[in-house]
Amino acid sequence: MDNLVALAKRRGFVFQSSEIYGGLNGFFDYGPLGAELKKNIRDCWWNDMVRRRDDIVGIETSIIMHPKVWEASGHVAGFTDPLVDCKVSKQRYRADQLFFAAVIVDGKTVGYVSALESENTAGELQAAAESFKRKKAVQGQLSPVHAKDMTEAQPDEIALIPSPATGEPGSLTPPRAFNMMFETYVGALRDDSAKSYLRPETAQGMFVDFKNVVDTGRVRLPFGIAQIGKSFRNEITPRNFIFRSREFEQMEMEYFIHEDADWAKCHQEWIDWCRSWLISIGLPESHLSLYAHPKEKLAFYSKGTVDIMFKYPFGVQELWGIAARGNYDLGQHAAASGKPQEIFDEATKKKFVPHVIEPAVGVDRIFLAVLCAAYVEDEAPDEKGKLEKRTVLRLSPRIAPLKVAVLPLLKNKDALVARAKELYAKLKRRYAVFYDEAGAIGRRYRRQDEIGTPWCVTIDFETIEKDGTFTLRERDSMTQKRINEAELFALLEEQVY
Ligand code: ATP
């Protein structure tokens, strides 16, 4: 992960936001290559989800919506995470990420230890318990620790659990609900009547505009409304680079189905679609898994939620959530606005509120997943054929920030440079490409490998003196072959879509 974060900074993929002022926790900027990569992820999703399907339309709704939207959706009352404060250090923790355990010696509780969630929380708590027993010189048999998070702490335990910041008990507060929506004021007044929110998800835009789309979009059930846009959550503990941030981008789609439709079948079809789509942009199947939320943890209206999980270097984590939400959202907005959100069924001559399947994914989480999966350190021969370490991003050509680098073999030979520039100009009309004439050819290849450019073409003397072909060098296999211009364009047409 450290190598990846360093590469992301060094090669201009991701920067800390406001870095010259010390950064702002939970906010990130995307540099020149990062902006290209992110745009490609978005474009692939939009093309596959919206343009290449007949049953889905795209919209773009505003980030700040009427505050009543968030009351009806349940976000004002319930979009919360459990928060624990340390009164001494002023640190704040998400209660479900702060773990504790009783230190039990010879069957008696002699104290408590705590640890922040990590890949080895139980191991850390066990080590802390052993150290506690040693420091307090307690004699007897230590029981294996049983880790719980702070949402499970009994009221009388809270005062005994040490704060991770100070190591001392007595300063942690009981968990309380912390609403994650960013508040703002619309207009010149700064009172409650002007209070609004930055949207914490894009989905509500699709529900609130449902009738507008039905009345204007010539859509018929089943159909979907898709949107890509920024969302904002005041996460208590943003972490793991861009995995959990406070400003991020979502790609969400609401797929509306008949109230009598087989929702489970449709849900499964969307799980399969999302999984295949991730594979189509280069994520390895071996890193993907599914997690079905247990029934007892679902919201009362939810019929089922399955997350597509990705094996990040810091653990297996949610990448894409696919939820069957019944007709809860449209029903809520109908009740709160007084405007029916129904569709007329020609077959039964009845009106009904459609049900919905919602695949919701974060662009930044996909961005991080593709970088993690693509990052490889291997070996490549240098100019003299000696093997040296090479860093390579094995990005799919679909999403790679640059598709081709055009390299004249020598920069002081006008004919080579002229032909290279001509090809570069032609490619540039359709693709993000790069022209590089500086340095030894091997070093130029290596620079492209590190940023994931799938192909380099080298213009050499054969190109200008013989048949016009040039060398195509492939990033992953490092193999080279001669091709002509038409073949290069055909290759790009096939691989970059
Ligand atoms: P988590 O449990 O990880 O907080 P969530 O279940 O609250 O996520 P959803 O509300 O289902 O997430 O949001 C849909 C998608 O948006 C997630 O699957 C994830 O890809 C993305 N996402 C959610 N929160 C963040 C965040 N803070 N930073 C980046 N992406 C996010």
Side-chain angles (χ1 to χ4, degrees):
M1 196 61 193
D2 290 344
N3 291 349
L4 188 82
V5 173
L7 173 79
K9 164 95 202 274
R10 186 171 74 244
R11 300 312 306 263
F13 282 91
V14 183
F15 308 125
Q16 216 185 349
S17 160
S18 322
E19 197 181 328
I20 58 168
Y21 292 101
L24 187 60
N25 196 8
F27 296 88
F28 292 92
D29 295 343
Y30 288 83
L33 291 175
E36 285 290 341
L37 175 56
K38 203 162 173 231
K39 177 174 167 16
N40 293 341
I41 294 170
R42 265 190 240 118
D43 288 351
C44 280
W45 187 90
W46 188 266
N47 286 335
D48 291 338
M49 182 65 96
V50 180
R51 291 194 175 159
R52 294 179 181 137
R53 292 185 66 118
D54 297 327
D55 56 346
I56 297 178
V57 292
I59 59 169
E60 254 187 68
T61 67
S62 61
I63 285 172
I64 296 177
M65 301 169 81
H66 198 292
K68 286 201 172 138
V69 170
W70 305 109
E71 282 168 28
S73 67
H75 283 80
V76 170
F79 193 62
T80 57
D81 268 346
L83 171 79
V84 167
D85 282 298
C86 167
K87 286 180 286 190
V88 171
S89 68
K90 308 286 178 226
Q91 293 277 357
R92 303 189 127 180
Y93 304 99
R94 234 175 86 172
D96 56 348
Q97 293 172 352
L98 173 47
F99 285 79
F100 72 96
V103 182
I104 301 172
V105 178
D106 286 345
K108 264 181 54 196
T109 299
V110 295
Y112 285 83
V113 288
S114 64
L116 291 174
E117 185 182 41
S118 71
E119 273 173 83
N120 182 27
T121 316
E124 283 181 27
L125 285 172
Q126 185 66 42
E130 280 159 19
S131 150
F132 180 93
K133 177 173 174 277
R134 241 188 345 267
K135 273 200 201 130
K136 302 270 173 189
V138 187
Q139 300 300 317
Q141 180 69 33
L142 176 69
S143 304
V145 298
H146 175 57
K148 290 182 185 167
D149 74 49
M150 284 296 283
T151 62
E152 302 167 283
Q154 299 303 316
D156 56 338
E157 284 181 313
I158 290 171
L160 306 173
I161 298 169
S163 157
T166 63
E168 296 298 326
S171 65
L172 294 178
T173 64
R176 65 187 166 87
F178 171 77
N179 195 301
M180 289 195 288
M181 283 199 292
F182 282 99
E183 293 176 2
T184 186
Y185 296 89
V186 176
L189 282 178
R190 297 237 144 208
D191 62 12
D192 270 359
S193 69
K195 191 157 94 183
S196 196
Y197 307 93
L198 302 190
R199 68 179 173 201
E201 61 172 38
T202 62
Q204 294 307 317
M206 278 79 97
F207 295 124
V208 170
D209 272 343
F210 173 73
K211 267 294 189 188
N212 282 334
V213 173
V214 169
D215 293 346
T216 58
R218 286 191 282 166
V219 287
R220 291 179 56 199
L221 285 184
F223 73 90
I225 310 179
Q227 154 156 245
I228 301 178
K230 287 270 179 130
S231 292
F232 304 80
R233 296 182 187 180
N234 199 0
E235 298 277 357
I236 299 167
T237 46
R239 58 184 185 161
N240 291 329
F241 197 34
I242 54 174
F243 176 82
R244 184 178 302 288
S245 49
R246 290 177 166 141
E247 173 176 340
F248 55 99
E249 201 164 3
Q250 289 186 306
M251 306 194 287
E252 298 194 285
M253 197 275 298
E254 304 300 331
Y255 199 73
F256 297 98
I257 56 177
H258 197 284
E259 59 177 349
D260 299 329
D262 184 347
W263 69 266
K265 181 164 167 270
C266 185
H267 189 217
Q268 187 59 46
E269 283 166 3
W270 276 109
I271 296 165
D272 296 343
W273 189 95
C274 297
R275 210 176 153 275
S276 315
W277 187 81
L278 290 171
I279 294 166
S280 85
I281 59 159
L283 291 188
E285 274 188 80
S286 57
H287 284 48
L288 300 173
S289 54
L290 298 179
Y291 169 74
H293 289 228
K295 284 250 163 348
E296 63 277 11
K297 293 225 168 149
L298 293 175
F300 71 91
Y301 53 80
S302 173
K303 291 172 181 275
T305 295
V306 170
D307 293 338
I308 300 180
M309 312 293 284
F310 181 77
K311 198 162 100 195
Y312 289 96
F314 43 85
V316 174
Q317 297 280 343
E318 172 181 338
L319 174 57
W320 202 329
I322 300 126
R325 300 180 58 87
N327 61 6
Y328 176 77
D329 306 271
L330 286 180
Q332 287 292 102
H333 288 302
S337 67
K339 313 257 166 32
Q341 302 293 313
E342 296 164 321
I343 269 193
F344 182 70
D345 185 1
E346 289 292 345
T348 59
K349 306 284 179 221
K350 260 178 44 196
K351 284 183 176 171
F352 66 92
V353 182
H355 287 222
V356 77
I357 307 289
E358 176 190 87
V361 69
V363 184
D364 315 76
R365 280 195 193 176
I366 296 180
F367 186 108
L368 184 57
V370 294
L371 279 191
C372 292
Y375 185 95
V376 176
E377 286 172 5
D378 63 6
E379 287 187 325
D382 68 6
E383 299 297 293
K384 298 192 183 89
K386 199 171 133 251
L387 284 183
E388 58 176 14
K389 201 184 106 186
R390 157 178 104 132
T391 301
V392 49
L393 283 185
R394 295 194 168 163
L395 294 170
S396 152
R398 294 194 77 189
I399 56 166
L402 302 172
K403 309 304 180 194
V404 181
V406 182
L407 322 171
L409 187 63
L410 299 169
K411 71 170 174 192
N412 54 3
K413 290 281 178 266
D414 290 348
L416 294 181
V417 168
R419 174 64 185 118
K421 286 196 169 160
E422 182 197 278
L423 180 64
Y424 170 61
K426 254 190 205 167
L427 286 164
K428 221 154 87 130
R429 288 165 56 184
R430 294 208 44 201
Y431 302 102
V433 292
F434 192 71
Y435 174 82
D436 188 6
E437 56 179 30
I441 200 79
R443 221 164 317 129
R444 280 185 266 168
Y445 286 154
R446 218 68 83 239
R447 279 203 288 269
Q448 296 305 317
D449 292 343
E450 210 187 28
I451 58 173
T453 311
W455 300 286
C456 291
V457 295
T458 306
I459 310 296
D460 54 22
F461 292 103
E462 248 181 278
T463 318
I464 48 174
E465 287 164 7
K466 282 194 183 161
D467 55 2
T469 61
F470 35 75
T471 305
L472 178 87
R473 187 262 192 185
E474 205 266 331
R475 177 196 63 206
D476 299 345
S477 62
M478 294 183 273
T479 51
Q480 304 189 5
K481 64 175 178 190
R482 293 200 76 83
I483 63 165
N484 62 31
E485 193 177 301
E487 286 165 333
L488 175 63
F489 274 93
L491 173 74
L492 289 169
E493 172 68 20
E494 187 206 312
Q495 301 270 333
V496 182
Y497 58 96

